[in-house]
Amino acid sequence: MTEDLSALAKDAVAASRAASDPDYPVFHVAPPVGRLNDPNGLLVDGGTYHVFYQFTPLHPHRKLVYWGHTSSTDLARWEHHAPAVVPDSPYDANGAYSGNAIVLEGAELPAAPASAPYQLFFTGNLKDPVTGERTASQNLVTSRDLVTFTKWEGNPLIPTHAPGYTAHYRDPQVFRDPDAPGQFRMLLGVQRQDETGAALLYRSTDLLSWDLEGELTFPDAGGAFERFGYMWECPGIVRLTDELTGEDWDVLIWCPQGISPQAEGYENVFACTYTVGHLVGTELRDCDGTFHEVDRGFEFYAPQAFARRPSEPGAVTLVGWLGNAGEDDQPSVSTGGWVHALSVPRRLSLRGGRLVQRPVLELGEGASTSCLSGSVLTAGATPVPELSGSRSWQLRVEGPQAGGPAPTWGVRIGTADCHVDVTIEDGSLVVDRSTSRYTQHGARRVVTLPPGADSVLEVLHDRSVTEIVSADGETVFALRSFVTPGTSGVSLLSSGGAQMRVVSLQARD
């Protein structure tokens, strides 16, 4: 008898104790049970945001990877739904892996597969049980209502990897070609036979038949990306306008595994990077080979932007996985039977060629303004009374004005014995979680800030998840912050009696 994988997931969710775990976040997406990783198929449907994600409900006992599904109308309260994609087909028996979505409308619909507005693309993973040989295929799921999801009867659309590449061939991003109406493109992360990473582009007019165009190349980059890591995961291209020049640029965001640049940063298991240029055919022109990390935090990977209808344009908004490959042994596994979370949605822009990310979060009423003078850092901290009983909050703080000796200032999350310190020191952002309950991928990290960008900190803390924004969104830092359960208030830290001003704060619980 065939195993009912949908029922297995349903039973696991019904038996879950995750929601009662004091570490379980309030306004970040976390799995209802088991393991979460890459965000998938992000889309906006009218006023509702839908997030799909890699979901392993039976983790750590069985590695059955589904697409989980949650939705929100305010990006702060999320409702879980039944899994949208279940690994129950011959081509995805070892997992329904990452991909994206596209939302169709108008004249696109009659010719669309199943005449459905919602088209979800994913990589099916299959491994030979004897040899372990992998087959990766690209597949389609359609939906008319985002309640019922149907695998396309003609799957797989792309049954295997192209000649010259290995079976590491995955993570499709399908998008409309802005320069060729009626045509669609697919960007795939791949590995060449010589075990170097690359990205491929396909083209289609019907979303079913896909023609390989070739590798994405960088003619003006001086060879910077020709042997850049051993595999490229989760590539995506978004078009953004530079706030300073008004020029439109195509921003490639991707995860090159195995890079070792000689620069500050890139300490995570695998990096998440971006570069800018102009996509013409298969060339990303005007890209000089410069690249940067998307997020400087301990945990961040595989981000993706929301898809929208052409008639409902909006800001490019991104969500990332707050985790690292192979780092699943977190406190929440034993206390609540769940692990990992997604970032708060971030609105994207460019400023002088650098990516700017601003969190999109409104927790509700409760803003407050006050002026506090912190203690000497080594001597203690000044609590923020309005947040004394809150475990989930958003806080924006201004530090000392320019001039005179540069003091150390910032915030402490948690108690004296178990905390995370977020401070500005000599023009750098310093995050120290060495006394917290989770330090698997580093206890302390220093990030050099852009000149003059060290006067404001925005901190979003959600029980065991923290995101930090500085330099008006040019520097972001995400981390898992397991402090003492139930006591994650906040205190202001400063040296030399420096004045700090709480510009705004909001508490959720």
Side-chain angles (χ1 to χ4, degrees):
M1 184 171 117
T2 303
E3 192 172 34
D4 187 341
L5 300 187
S6 295
L8 281 179
K10 181 179 179 181
D11 291 346
V13 171
S16 176
R17 63 187 193 280
S20 62
D21 185 350
D23 290 320
Y24 194 77
V26 176
F27 53 83
H28 286 80
V29 172
V33 70
R35 183 179 188 268
L36 167 152
N37 56 300
D38 303 4
N40 296 154
L42 276 59
L43 64 89
V44 183
D45 181 43
T48 302
Y49 292 78
H50 290 262
V51 171
F52 303 87
Y53 54 88
Q54 296 281 272
F55 178 39
T56 312
L58 302 182
H59 176 83
H61 310 293
R62 292 182 65 180
K63 188 178 180 180
L64 289 171
V65 182
Y66 301 61
W67 271 31
H69 179 201
T70 186
S71 66
S72 175
T73 57
D74 62 5
L75 297 176
R77 299 165 180 81
W78 295 92
E79 178 185 358
H80 286 290
H81 308 287
V85 185
V86 179
D88 58 2
S89 301
Y91 49 81
D92 64 12
N94 294 104
Y97 278 50
S98 293
N100 85 317
I102 192 165
V103 186
L104 305 177
E105 66 176 358
E108 298 172 327
L109 273 175
S115 298
Y118 311 104
Q119 309 278 312
L120 282 60
F121 298 85
F122 74 97
T123 297
N125 189 33
L126 183 65
K127 289 184 180 179
D128 186 289
V130 177
T131 66
E133 183 177 353
R134 179 198 305 266
T135 300
S137 60
Q138 314 314 316
N139 303 282
L140 170 65
V141 168
T142 66
S143 179
R144 295 176 182 271
D145 55 8
L146 295 174
V147 175
T148 300
F149 299 86
T150 304
K151 290 180 178 176
W152 183 246
E153 60 185 11
N155 280 340
L157 306 180
I158 302 175
T160 188
H161 54 280
Y165 301 91
T166 74
H168 291 286
Y169 204 86
R170 55 182 176 268
D171 310 334
Q173 182 212 22
V174 174
F175 58 99
R176 294 174 180 85
D177 187 340
D179 304 315
Q183 296 192 30
F184 302 90
R185 308 188 79 184
M186 179 190 291
L187 184 65
L188 278 178
V190 301
Q191 182 186 65
R192 304 184 187 103
Q193 286 287 358
D194 66 358
E195 297 188 353
T196 57
L200 291 182
L201 283 158
Y202 283 77
R203 185 176 293 274
S204 176
T205 57
D206 62 4
L207 297 172
L208 296 175
S209 299
W210 292 90
D211 297 319
L212 177 60
E213 294 183 272
E215 276 193 24
L216 178 66
T217 61
F218 307 82
D220 306 313
F225 302 121
E226 290 179 3
R227 302 185 68 83
F228 193 63
Y230 62 79
M231 169 65 194
W232 288 9
E233 289 196 312
C234 304
I237 290 180
V238 296
R239 184 161 290 180
L240 299 175
T241 301
D242 195 293
E243 296 176 354
L244 300 182
T245 66
E247 184 176 1
D248 290 338
W249 292 85
D250 294 313
V251 182
L252 173 67
I253 301 173
W254 82 112
C255 299
Q257 297 181 316
I259 65 169
S260 300
Q262 299 301 311
E264 176 186 293
Y266 308 93
E267 297 102 329
N268 287 356
V269 176
F270 298 124
C272 179
T273 62
Y274 73 91
T275 192
V276 302
H278 295 104
L279 183 63
V280 180
T282 59
E283 297 180 340
L284 192 65
R285 298 178 183 174
D286 306 315
C287 170
D288 65 4
T290 301
F291 62 95
H292 305 280
E293 277 188 291
V294 175
D295 186 294
R296 297 297 308 276
F298 295 111
E299 287 87 25
F300 188 87
Y301 199 70
Q304 183 177 123
F306 283 91
R308 297 176 180 271
R309 290 182 174 87
S311 65
E312 297 178 350
V316 178
T317 305
L318 173 140
V319 169
W321 173 41
L322 303 188
N324 284 306
E327 296 191 346
D328 299 333
D329 188 17
Q330 297 184 1
S332 60
V333 175
S334 59
T335 60
W338 65 280
V339 64
H340 300 307
L342 300 181
S343 73
V344 162
R346 302 171 179 182
R347 186 170 293 122
L348 302 187
S349 183
L350 282 178
R351 184 168 58 235
R354 295 294 297 265
L355 190 64
V356 175
Q357 304 171 72
R358 299 181 174 99
V360 185
L361 182 66
E362 292 294 335
L363 296 182
E365 298 297 326
S368 175
T369 301
S370 61
C371 186
L372 299 172
S373 179
S375 317
V376 175
L377 183 60
T378 56
T382 301
V384 178
E386 296 92 338
L387 297 179
S388 61
S390 176
R391 294 177 291 162
S392 297
W393 41 264
Q394 182 178 18
L395 176 67
R396 187 175 176 87
V397 181
E398 287 184 355
Q401 299 300 308
T408 295
W409 64 276
V411 301
R412 171 169 291 173
I413 304 166
T415 63
D417 296 331
C418 183
H419 59 259
V420 174
D421 284 348
V422 180
T423 54
I424 302 293
E425 304 179 21
D426 296 324
S428 295
L429 171 68
V430 180
V431 180
D432 187 337
R433 63 178 182 183
S434 57
T435 68
S436 74
R437 293 155 50 218
Y438 182 73
T439 60
Q440 183 172 352
H441 195 68
R444 186 176 186 271
R445 187 168 293 180
V446 179
V447 178
T448 301
L449 296 173
D454 57 354
S455 62
V456 178
L457 270 179
E458 183 175 0
V459 181
L460 292 77
H461 179 73
D462 194 8
R463 296 190 176 182
S464 64
V465 187
T466 302
E467 297 183 67
I468 304 157
V469 182
S470 186
D472 190 28
E474 192 171 317
T475 300
V476 289
F477 191 113
L479 70 149
R480 299 311 308 276
S481 48
F482 289 91
V483 295
T484 304
T487 58
S488 53
V490 61
S491 301
L492 301 185
L493 303 171
S494 71
S495 64
Q499 290 285 315
M500 297 171 59
R501 189 168 74 95
V502 177
V503 179
S504 63
L505 59 84
Q506 295 183 86
R508 180 64 186 274
D509 67 339

